[in-house]
Amino acid sequence: MLEARGISSGYGSVDVLHELDLQLAQEEVVAVVGANGAGKSTLVRTLSGLLPLRGGSIEMDGTSIGSVSPHARARRGLIMVPEGRRLFAGLTVRENVDLGRSARGRRDDPDPIDVLGEIFPIVRERQDQRAGLLSGGEQQQVAFARALAGRPRYLLLDEPSLGLSPALTTQLFETIVKIREGLPIGILLVEQMVDRALALADRAYVVERGRVVLSGPAAEVAASSEVQRAYLGDMGAAERPAPAADPSAS
Ligand code: ATP
């Protein structure tokens, strides 16, 4: 279990997270949703150790990690896929994936390209190509493979759909389903695509101005009137126009 208790953090003189509680079990997908500027990326940065804690505690499987460096957290199995993917454009796909391996890998581990090529065919097919030449969706697969090469127990995904076309976003969510089905990993999914994230997740937290304002099973959070109104564009049954044909459904 990854457990944040009463965590606070921020930048300079500004506190962004205020005494926030969050839990993520292994083999669970937990969504974090909220408006722009609510503090979602700040939460991911704080959990991964890029931002120092100003209050509260973070435990991973019973061990306190709140004052441990990001690298040490990664070695213990807490790995982040940052917003914007942040691959090394000039390095090959294989070199990028190998960098992830150094987080926790051992010399006698199987080649991650062989293992991860099953989930991400692009990684195997394009292993010798420079990462910067791949499309956004392909780069997202490499970023996932790099993170998984570090054998995470908990994976933090910060806005993975950002910049992807609708078709690639669908592919991305399918990839997350594949990861959750194939590997014993807890996944924290920070997403602006609130409907997609809630459809996929087991549980969800709604964050507003650095505080959790609602949490629970994802289906219940999705059905709540607050989330319907604020994030899913529900105008209320009386005002709702008849549904139009969905052009992307064909
Ligand atoms: P978005 O989806 O727009 O990224 P978010 O929920 O992830 O939103 P954060 O990026 O965590 O929100 O930002 C929360 C608050 O912290 C905002 O008010 C933002 O302006 C501020 N903030 C974010 N990064 C920094 C930084 N490096 N320095 C100072 N303030 C920052």
Side-chain angles (χ1 to χ4, degrees):
M1 177 80 78
L2 178 68
E3 184 159 22
R5 281 198 213 102
I7 60 170
S8 302
S9 68
Y11 309 91
S13 60
V14 180
D15 283 340
V16 173
L17 296 188
H18 306 278
E19 298 178 13
L20 186 145
D21 293 327
L22 179 140
Q23 293 185 328
L24 172 66
Q26 255 184 301
E27 307 199 30
E28 184 181 43
V29 177
V30 168
V32 175
V33 300
N36 283 349
K40 304 180 300 295
S41 295
T42 303
L43 170 63
V44 170
R45 287 188 210 126
T46 308
L47 291 172
S48 63
L50 293 176
L51 260 186
L53 268 185
R54 291 182 173 179
S57 64
I58 305 173
E59 277 190 6
M60 196 169 120
D61 301 327
T63 305
S64 174
I65 57 162
S67 53
V68 163
S69 73
H71 187 67
R73 289 183 209 196
R75 260 191 280 114
R76 291 174 193 205
L78 177 61
I79 294 181
M80 166 170 87
V81 179
E83 188 176 315
R85 305 176 259 285
R86 309 264 170 84
L87 295 179
F88 292 96
L91 299 185
T92 65
V93 166
R94 171 176 280 283
E95 286 165 341
N96 270 282
V97 173
D98 275 343
L99 282 173
R101 194 182 189 186
S102 67
R104 222 158 89 84
R106 286 187 301 249
R107 207 179 276 265
D108 56 352
D109 278 347
D111 182 351
I113 299 284
D114 287 343
V115 179
L116 296 167
E118 296 294 316
I119 306 179
F120 310 107
I122 289 297
V123 168
R124 191 163 40 204
E125 290 158 17
R126 306 283 182 85
Q127 55 180 292
D128 297 321
Q129 207 164 75
R130 279 204 209 137
L133 298 176
L134 304 186
S135 72
E138 290 167 345
Q139 289 191 19
Q140 185 65 68
Q141 291 200 28
V142 178
F144 277 170
R146 180 177 61 180
L148 292 176
R151 295 189 295 124
R153 285 188 283 171
Y154 301 96
L155 193 59
L156 310 177
L157 305 179
D158 192 4
E159 304 274 7
S161 74
L162 206 71
L164 298 185
S165 68
L168 287 176
T169 300
T170 299
Q171 218 179 71
L172 163 82
F173 280 89
E174 286 166 3
T175 303
I176 297 172
V177 170
K178 273 198 221 169
I179 296 173
R180 81 150 349 146
E181 285 170 355
L183 299 163
I185 298 176
I187 299 176
L188 191 75
L189 174 61
V190 167
E191 253 302 332
Q192 295 214 337
M193 313 267 315
V194 174
D195 50 347
R196 311 283 292 260
L198 293 179
L200 173 70
D202 302 302
R203 288 190 306 113
Y205 293 84
V206 180
V207 176
E208 278 176 19
R209 278 174 254 127
R211 291 186 166 84
V212 171
V213 293
L214 184 65
S215 64
E220 282 177 24
V221 169
S224 71
S225 54
E226 298 96 308
V227 168
Q228 286 287 329
R229 212 176 309 115
Y231 304 106
L232 301 177
D234 190 342
M235 292 178 279
E239 305 158 64
R240 198 183 303 143
D246 179 357
S248 65
S250 56

